[in-house]
């Protein structure tokens, strides 16, 4: 066993994450560790615990994607666990290894053991909540996120995820409360502002929602999804000029954002600019060949032009790809009223 490996293991047992990071870097720089996935996994762990999720994902791609690397990291973790069975941090590391190597269900017990052995640590609850969330158990996830927040009130990622879980259940006031707390903790977090805007919009508080989206865009002007969401709010308020500007800004940030093309197509259709709308819907389908709104718009154009068979073909595609039951019912009712007659 190398000195760097020993130092990394000692840092894990002590929960000394800064030391673990430094020692893992030294391990990777050593000739014997240059191609070893274990120091990379150690950094992946530190990134996750620090909330640096983009960095964690990059490290994951280098240490936990090939079966050879998964086996090497797993052997190391299991060996350490055999020697440090009563160390909560080692159980936490084991949970992170399992959760990231296609063994999410098996990570439940290590996380629970870590929570038992580290009663003051929020991290086991936070990561356990994520597993429950992915497994489709929102109440269990909320319970664990709440415990993480209780133990660490300034744990912004846990508050953010708790807010999202509440919002998914329609518990908007509770979601908004969490988003506002995240903004207090990390005022420059554009995602917190955009999540707050989304929840406010769902409550029908459109003006506050617009202001929150604007704040998010000041922090991250190239966020195409936020430009698009802001456009949707403007459209709801009847400000079609501002909606168009926002959809165009979304495309400036991401030219392949198909939903923004579709939204612009519907705006053109609303002005009876049929050819312009058809061209825009075609661009939308180049970005996403399963864009239900684009097929729906094309069907409307064919219907207006009296080409019923072509309209029916595109209505059928829209029905196939729409996930919103209300949209599907809207089309079905329209077709029923029109008799569903072909060319």
């Amino acid at each position: 066993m190398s000195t760097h490996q020993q130092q990394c293991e000692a840092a894990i047992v002590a929960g000394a994450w800064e030391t673990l990071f430094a020692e893992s870097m030294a391990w990777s720089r050593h000739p014997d560790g240059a191609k070893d996935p274990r120091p990379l996994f150690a950094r992946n762990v530190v990134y996750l615990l620090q909330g640096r999720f983009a960095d964690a994902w990059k490290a994951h791609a280098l240490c936990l994607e090939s079966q050879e690397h998964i086996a090497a990291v797993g052997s190391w973790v299991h060996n350490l666990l055999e020697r440090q069975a009563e160390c909560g941090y080692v159980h936490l590391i084991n949970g992170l290894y399992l959760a990231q190597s296609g063994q999410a269900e098996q990570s439940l017990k290590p996380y629970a053991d870590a929570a038992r052995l580290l009663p003051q640590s929020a991290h086991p609850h936070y990561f356990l909540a994520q597993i429950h969330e992915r497994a489709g158990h929102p109440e269990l996830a909320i319970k664990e996120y709440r415990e993480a927040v209780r133990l660490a009130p300034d744990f912004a990622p846990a508050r953010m995820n708790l807010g999202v879980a509440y919002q998914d259940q329609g518990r908007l006031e509770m979601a908004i409360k969490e988003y506002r707390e995240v903004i207090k903790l990390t005022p420059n977090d554009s995602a917190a502002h955009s999540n707050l805007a989304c929840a406010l919009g769902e409550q029908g508080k459109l003006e506050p929602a617009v202001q929150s989206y604007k704040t998010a865009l000041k922090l991250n002007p190239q966020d195409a999804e936020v430009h698009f969401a802001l456009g949707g709010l403007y459209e709801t308020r009847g400000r079609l000029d501002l909606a168009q500007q926002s959809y165009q800004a979304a495309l400036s940030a991401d030219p392949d954002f198909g939903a923004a093309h579709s939204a612009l197509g519907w705006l053109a259709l609303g002005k009876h600019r049929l050819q312009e709308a058809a061209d825009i819907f075609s661009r939308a389908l180049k970005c996403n060949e399963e864009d239900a709104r684009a097929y729906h718009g094309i069907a409307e154009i064919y219907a207006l032009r009296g080409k019923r068979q072509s309209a029916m073909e595109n209505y059928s595609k829209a029905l196939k790809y729409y996930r919103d039951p209300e949209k599907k019912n809207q089309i079905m009712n329209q077709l029923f009223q029109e008799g569903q007659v072909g060319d």
Side-chain angles (χ1 to χ4, degrees):
M1 182 187 298
S2 72
T3 301
H4 294 303
Q5 179 181 338
Q6 290 179 324
Q7 293 296 331
C8 281
E9 292 182 0
I12 290 171
V13 172
W17 308 123
E18 295 292 343
T19 301
L20 177 60
F21 186 86
E23 290 296 336
S24 72
M25 290 293 292
W27 189 359
S28 289
R29 286 193 293 266
H30 192 277
D32 292 339
K35 296 183 179 181
D36 195 324
R38 294 175 296 174
L40 286 163
F41 174 66
R43 291 200 290 282
N44 162 268
V45 166
V46 176
Y47 290 140
L48 287 171
L49 295 173
Q50 292 178 341
R52 297 166 60 181
F53 302 116
D55 291 327
W57 182 248
K58 291 176 184 177
H60 173 276
L62 298 173
C63 68
L64 284 176
E65 288 207 344
S66 75
Q67 289 301 313
E68 181 183 358
H69 285 173
I70 288 172
V73 173
S75 176
W76 180 42
V77 172
H78 295 152
N79 180 270
L80 181 58
L81 188 61
E82 288 178 358
R83 291 181 280 118
Q84 299 287 346
E86 294 304 311
C87 177
Y89 295 120
V90 177
H91 286 278
L92 179 60
I93 299 299
N94 188 29
L96 292 171
Y97 158 71
L98 292 168
Q100 295 184 93
S101 61
Q103 306 171 75
E105 188 174 349
Q106 291 94 314
S107 72
L108 291 170
K109 186 178 184 303
Y111 284 144
D113 288 339
R116 173 177 56 82
L117 294 165
L118 302 168
Q120 300 305 313
S121 175
H123 283 112
H125 299 283
Y126 172 70
F127 292 116
L128 185 56
Q130 293 182 343
I131 301 302
H132 287 314
E133 207 164 25
R134 292 171 198 160
H137 303 301
E139 287 300 337
L140 291 176
I142 285 172
K143 177 184 175 184
E144 296 298 335
Y145 281 135
R146 289 181 65 177
E147 182 62 12
V149 168
R150 185 189 70 80
L151 290 166
D154 61 348
F155 192 179
R159 284 195 179 276
M160 180 78 95
N161 288 10
L162 179 57
V164 172
Y166 281 143
Q167 187 172 352
D168 286 345
Q169 291 195 330
R171 298 156 74 176
L172 297 177
E173 281 297 336
M174 300 182 79
I176 287 168
K177 174 180 175 293
E178 295 304 328
Y179 295 146
R180 292 194 190 282
E181 289 297 325
V182 174
I183 290 169
K184 288 180 185 177
L185 292 166
T186 54
N188 292 328
D189 185 344
S190 62
H193 290 281
S194 61
N195 282 5
L196 175 61
C198 182
L200 290 169
E202 287 185 30
Q203 277 194 328
K205 297 176 179 177
L206 302 187
E207 184 55 36
V210 166
Q211 295 307 314
S212 289
Y213 275 134
K214 286 183 176 180
T215 301
L217 288 171
K218 286 180 182 178
L219 295 166
N220 185 7
Q222 294 303 306
D223 192 325
E225 291 189 4
V226 176
H227 282 294
F228 178 74
L230 179 57
L233 277 187
Y234 281 137
E235 192 169 353
T236 299
R237 297 173 65 194
R239 293 301 308 272
L240 302 187
D241 54 335
L242 295 176
Q244 182 168 335
Q245 290 177 19
S246 291
Y247 296 144
Q248 289 171 340
L251 290 174
S252 294
D254 180 2
D256 295 326
F257 197 155
H261 284 295
S262 287
L264 288 169
W266 277 94
L267 290 180
L269 183 57
K271 297 174 183 176
H272 211 71
R273 298 175 180 170
L274 302 190
Q275 189 55 53
E276 178 185 342
D279 291 342
I280 297 173
F281 288 136
S282 294
R283 288 197 289 272
L285 290 173
K286 287 180 181 177
C287 298
N288 175 13
E289 62 183 14
E290 297 183 0
D291 188 330
R293 288 198 78 202
Y295 285 117
H296 189 181
I298 292 170
E300 292 288 320
I301 292 169
Y302 279 125
L304 288 168
R305 289 173 170 169
K307 298 183 177 181
R308 293 187 175 182
Q309 184 60 41
S310 296
M312 280 299 303
E313 290 174 2
N314 283 278
Y315 280 132
S316 297
K317 290 178 180 177
L319 286 170
K320 177 181 178 181
Y321 295 123
Y322 263 135
R323 296 180 182 179
D324 185 347
E326 290 186 11
K327 290 290 186 182
K328 291 187 176 185
N329 289 336
Q330 175 189 338
I331 293 176
M332 292 301 296
N333 290 337
Q334 181 178 344
L335 294 178
F336 178 77
Q337 290 172 8
E338 295 175 359
Q340 303 185 44
V341 180
D343 287 339

